[in-house]
Amino acid sequence: MKMATVLRVLILAMIVGLGLFGTLRFDVPTMLKEFLAEVAALGFTGILIFVGVYILATVFFVPGSILTLGAGFVYGVADGTAAVSVASTLGAFAAFLVGRYVARS
């Protein structure tokens, strides 16, 4: 195998391994609820942080239902929908890039 292929496989294995380790080691739903409470007080900066965390959650296979419902609760229906729409689209794009370039072959 080529060195680039081996490197891609190792990077993909690290991403999946870290994601699995994180979800098994930590109580993710409780952490997400606490995160939403903290972010709610930050205003617009909190929305940007929320979008970044949502993108990471999408790439690391964390269920987005808690974040999605939490955004609606914290930011209201209109702002929560806008934040989740942007975040989920960017998260899907990031997951596509990982699949396209890191996990390609």
Side-chain angles (χ1 to χ4, degrees):
M1 284 196 326
K2 293 181 181 179
M3 185 59 109
T5 304
V6 172
L7 185 62
R8 286 182 182 158
V9 170
L10 288 175
I11 290 172
L12 178 63
M14 281 184 7
I15 290 172
V16 171
L18 286 173
L20 287 174
F21 174 76
T23 55
L24 295 175
R25 176 82 170 120
F26 302 107
D27 186 18
V28 176
T30 303
M31 290 175 64
L32 290 176
K33 289 175 189 174
E34 292 172 0
F35 165 73
L36 287 171
E38 298 268 337
V39 160
L42 295 176
F44 183 73
T45 306
I47 292 175
L48 295 177
I49 293 171
F50 173 81
V51 168
V53 169
Y54 200 104
I55 292 168
L56 290 175
T58 302
V59 172
F60 285 111
F61 310 114
V62 176
S65 58
I66 294 173
L67 285 171
T68 301
L69 293 172
F73 180 74
V74 170
Y75 297 117
V77 175
D79 291 340
T81 300
V84 168
S85 294
V86 169
S88 63
T89 302
L90 291 175
F93 179 66
F96 167 77
L97 290 178
V98 168
R100 171 86 176 183
Y101 295 108
V102 177
R104 185 173 188 170
S105 56

